[in-house]
Amino acid sequence: MADPAPTHRPTTHNGSALLRKLQVHVGSNSSQLFGLSTLLISGAILLLLTGIAVTGSTLGLILFTPLIIISSPIWAPISIFLFFVVAGFLTFCGLGLAVAAGLSWAYRYFRGLNPPGSDQVDYARSRIYDTASHVKDYAREYGGCLQSKAKDAAPGA
């Protein structure tokens, strides 16, 4: 017995099915259709520009690789030096900006202008003060008790 031929639906590669689904989904809303067409056009343009950029980068690398290899004894020390110069400059600028922001915040805080986070600093300061006063009171209360016990243990001390 021969196997029956498989039945399948032939696939069509035209865009009519896609257009019908799109028309049913979008409907007759012109703003959605305009948005979709804008999306498709801008996506196609960006895809084209990406292809041009990748092609240009590849061709540039192919053409300039011999020059890069020949002159690499010059470029390696220069690039290392430039890396450290740029890293140092960016570190200096970043730390300078952090110091300026910190000084500005402290100036506004001590002038009473309530910069962001000043309520948290005030809360922490009050908690530290409360804890210190509790420790001081505890030491007064139990420190005197310990001194009297020490006198009882060593009356001549």
Side-chain angles (χ1 to χ4, degrees), residues 122-139:
D122 292 336
Y123 177 72
R125 185 178 359 159
S126 68
R127 289 286 308 261
I128 291 170
Y129 177 76
D130 291 342
T131 304
S133 65
H134 288 302
V135 168
K136 185 175 78 170
D137 294 340
Y138 186 81

Side-chain angles (χ1 to χ4, degrees), residues 52-78:
I52 291 171
V54 168
T55 304
S57 299
T58 304
L59 289 176
L61 187 61
I62 290 170
L63 293 175
F64 288 112
T65 298
L67 181 64
I68 292 170
I69 290 174
I70 290 171
S71 63
S72 65
I74 297 169
W75 289 109
I78 290 175

Side-chain angles (χ1 to χ4, degrees), residues 1-75:
M1 278 198 151
D3 290 334
T7 57
H8 57 33
R9 291 177 38 184
T11 58
T12 58
H13 294 290
N14 58 7
S16 64
L18 177 67
L19 288 176
R20 269 188 267 119
K21 286 182 181 179
L22 186 63
Q23 188 176 15
V24 168
H25 181 67
V26 173
S28 62
N29 192 350
S30 64
S31 65
Q32 285 183 347
L33 189 61
F34 179 72
L36 182 65
S37 64
T38 304
L39 176 70
L40 290 176
I41 291 171
S42 61
I45 291 172
L46 288 175
L47 187 63
L48 177 71
L49 290 176
T50 303
I52 291 171
V54 168
T55 304
S57 299
T58 304
L59 289 176
L61 187 61
I62 290 170
L63 293 175
F64 288 112
T65 298
L67 181 64
I68 292 170
I69 290 174
I70 290 171
S71 63
S72 65
I74 297 169
W75 289 109

